[in-house]
Structure formats: structure tokens, C-alpha cells
Amino acid sequence: MDQLRETLKGHQLRTTTCREDVLSTFINKKNALSHGDLEGALGENYDRVTIYRTLKTFLEKGIIHKVLDDEGLRYALCSHSCSEEKHQHDHIHFKCSACGETNCLETLHIPSIQLPNGYQPENFNLLIQGVCPKCN
Amino acid sequence: MDQLRETLKGHQLRTTTCREDVLSTFINKKNALSHGDLEGALGENYDRVTIYRTLKTFLEKGIIHKVLDDEGLRYALCSHSCSEEKHQHDHIHFKCSACGETNCLETLHIPSIQLPNGYQPENFNLLIQGVCPKCN
DNA sequence: CTTCACATGCAACAGAGTTGCACAATTATT
DNA sequence: AATAATTGTGCAACTCTGTTGCATGTGAAG
């Protein structure tokens, strides 16, 4: 409970029940969540729009990051302390085609890639689709 | 012109002006295109819905593939002959943060990655964001 | 040139995401 | 502890994206 307030404060955010609930949902369910997932979990307590705005705020402040998917956009907690200035992610996302869950594989990193001349890379995003250990 | 018909025939598709136009748009503009891009280019000639259905058909037949992006979905031509049965893509997509274009880097391949036990990969999708040679 | 299967356009709908504004809650100030 | 300033929330309305059903049009095969 207090940890939530700490996290929010640490990112210069007021503590509100909605933000606490969204944050704790991300912490409890460990996989990446879409807006729809959150609306399903918290929709009776908060307005759709508020959840959208909470996600946007968390994104900007570096609490969560986007996870790309062939069927839409999800969000997951930033593991290392990202901030408003610096979003650094070079880890891998794995989407299970059986259970549909998408997870960050924090321990793995994307190997460095030799790009052709003139390309200046800034951000890497690797999505692997397949079957996860739970469904295997 | 005839090449278009060949391509369509080769994928068991009737040649219609809409399909020819969509296909030639992909060939001319070489970058990945969203539905909106195509609607902008061809919207006066064809219905929104028809363009959606054309994209869906091209996807199923293996003429184009999805390109994931932090701001949505795009499509790009399949380089090697993909078919209805087999979609094989392990190349890299590069999105320029300056001009906004997304391109396939066909010559590069995603390095193999050692996944933790239990993960069965089937499909890889790597998006690199940065600055492309044109904007550098 | 006719027939059959398939492609298209239209209308209507469903869902995702955004914006403006009034009101409510949080934080800072005294 | 009370108030003012700031920021968050709910509601309504809207836009944009994508889908579905159905009637009509068009392409390919005989």
C-alpha cells in the first residue's frame, strides 16, 4: 500500500485511489495489460476516460511502457527506474498464442545488430510470439 | 501493369482495379502503409470498407504482412514468396522518428536468441526506432 | 453471352481513444 | 486546522478505426 504511494510520489504524481488501483493491478497481474483489461478489472469504480488518462500519465512519467502486439496496444511496468526524460527498454516481449498473455522477459536483452550506414537506432522493440511455459 | 495481374493470379486472386491499385501503391511507395495511408491515396476511387477487405485478403494470401508500430498497424509487401500456408518473416522494421516512415530492412535478420526453458517461439517481430539515412 | 462465384458499395454498427467543461479531491500555505 | 491553488475525475459528446449484412456489380469459365 505504502509502496504504491512511494512509487507515485517518486514520479511526481499525486496519490489518488485510481492511480493506486491501476498501479497495483499492474503489480499483481504480472503480464502486460490493455486499457480494456484495466477497464474490466476496475471499470465499476472508475470512468473509462480516467483510466485512459491514468495510462497516459504513467507513460509520460516512465512508470509503464508500451508493448506492441499484432492485435493492439498493451502496457507493462517499467522494471528499472525509467523517468520522464529517459525511457530505456531493450528487453523482449513474449506473447503466448495459446493463453494470449504478453509478458516481458526482463532477463533477456536484444543482441546488438549491425545496421546499414546512416541508420541511427534509438529504441528496440522485439516481440516474439509462440507458446509460453504455462501452456506448453 | 501485367506484373500486377501476375502477382494476383499467382495468389489465386481475381484481378480487380482496386486490388491492382492497392498493390501498385505498395510497390511505388516502398515503405509500410496503414489503412489510412491507402485511404488517402485511393479513397476517392474506392470505399473504405473495400480497402479494409483488400488488405485482409492480401494478408491471408501472403502478399503483405503486418508491421507493428507504437502508433498502430501498418502493412508491407512480403518480399519472398509467402503463401496462404506459410508466412515467414524474420526481418527487421525500422521506423524513422523524423519522417515517420517505416521500412523493412530485408537484408538484415534477427539474430537467434536463447529463450528460457519452456518458451516455444514461432514468430519474431523486431521494430527499431530511430533516424533513417534520409533524415540523418 | 450466360452463369456462378466472388468483389464492391452502402448503411449501420461496435469499439477505441480524445476533448471540453464542471465539479471533486489533493497538496501547499498560512 | 482551514483555506487557496492546483490537479484529477466524471460525464457527455465526439472522432477515428474497424466490422458486418445485404443488395448490386463485376470477373472468369464454359
Side-chain angles (χ1 to χ4, degrees):
Chain A
M1 317 291 129
D2 236 20
Q3 182 127 11
L4 298 176
R5 312 188 117 234
E6 289 301 317
T7 303
L8 292 173
K9 289 247 176 190
H11 291 270
Q12 291 96 37
L13 288 177
R14 288 188 180 174
T15 60
T16 67
T17 54
C18 179
R19 287 175 180 170
E20 287 177 327
D21 281 357
V22 169
L23 186 51
S24 75
T25 306
F26 272 113
I27 292 172
N28 292 336
K29 320 212 171 190
K30 307 202 168 182
N31 51 315
L33 302 173
S34 67
H35 172 268
D37 295 332
L38 288 162
E39 200 184 336
L42 307 171
E44 293 180 4
N45 305 316
Y46 308 106
D47 193 86
R48 263 165 25 85
V49 179
T50 304
I51 297 177
Y52 275 115
R53 289 198 263 231
T54 302
L55 287 171
K56 199 173 192 175
T57 306
F58 281 11
L59 256 186
E60 286 165 2
K61 296 293 183 179
I63 298 178
I64 58 177
H65 62 278
K66 289 184 180 180
V67 179
L68 304 174
D69 200 286
D70 64 336
E71 51 186 348
L73 192 51
R74 285 160 205 255
Y75 304 90
L77 285 177
C78 295
S79 56
H80 310 301
S81 48
C82 286
S83 69
E84 197 154 0
E85 302 80 39
K86 188 182 118 205
H87 255 293
Q88 192 69 30
H89 298 288
D90 63 343
H91 64 267
I92 294 170
H93 297 133
F94 191 94
K95 177 177 180 192
C96 177
S97 50
C99 64
E101 278 191 14
T102 302
N103 284 283
C104 297
L105 301 181
E106 300 282 359
T107 54
L108 298 182
H109 294 275
I110 298 175
S112 72
I113 290 158
Q114 183 70 37
L115 289 175
N117 269 347
Y119 286 95
Q120 270 195 342
E122 285 161 2
N123 215 346
F124 295 80
N125 214 311
L126 175 58
L127 175 74
I128 304 179
Q129 289 174 290
V131 184
C132 76
K134 273 192 295 184
C135 301
N136 211 341
Chain B
M1 318 293 129
D2 237 20
Q3 183 128 10
L4 298 177
R5 313 187 117 235
E6 288 303 316
T7 303
L8 292 172
K9 289 245 174 189
H11 291 270
Q12 289 96 37
L13 289 176
R14 287 190 181 173
T15 59
T16 67
T17 54
C18 179
R19 287 175 180 170
E20 286 178 327
D21 282 357
V22 169
L23 186 52
S24 75
T25 305
F26 273 112
I27 292 171
N28 293 335
K29 320 213 172 190
K30 307 202 169 182
N31 51 315
L33 301 173
S34 67
H35 172 269
D37 295 332
L38 288 162
E39 200 184 336
L42 307 171
E44 293 180 3
N45 306 317
Y46 308 105
D47 193 85
R48 262 165 24 84
V49 179
T50 304
I51 298 177
Y52 275 115
R53 288 198 263 231
T54 302
L55 287 172
K56 199 173 192 175
T57 306
F58 281 10
L59 257 186
E60 287 164 2
K61 295 295 182 179
I63 297 178
I64 59 178
H65 63 278
K66 289 185 181 180
V67 180
L68 303 174
D69 199 285
D70 64 335
E71 50 185 349
L73 191 52
R74 285 159 204 257
Y75 305 88
L77 285 177
C78 294
S79 57
H80 309 301
S81 47
C82 287
S83 67
E84 197 155 2
E85 302 80 39
K86 187 182 120 204
H87 254 292
Q88 193 71 29
H89 298 291
D90 63 342
H91 64 267
I92 294 171
H93 297 133
F94 191 95
K95 177 178 178 189
C96 177
S97 50
C99 65
E101 279 191 13
T102 302
N103 283 284
C104 296
L105 302 181
E106 300 282 359
T107 53
L108 299 182
H109 293 275
I110 298 175
S112 72
I113 289 158
Q114 183 69 34
L115 289 175
N117 268 348
Y119 285 94
Q120 269 195 345
E122 285 161 2
N123 215 345
F124 296 80
N125 213 310
L126 175 57
L127 175 75
I128 303 179
Q129 289 173 290
V131 184
C132 75
K134 273 191 295 182
C135 301
N136 211 342

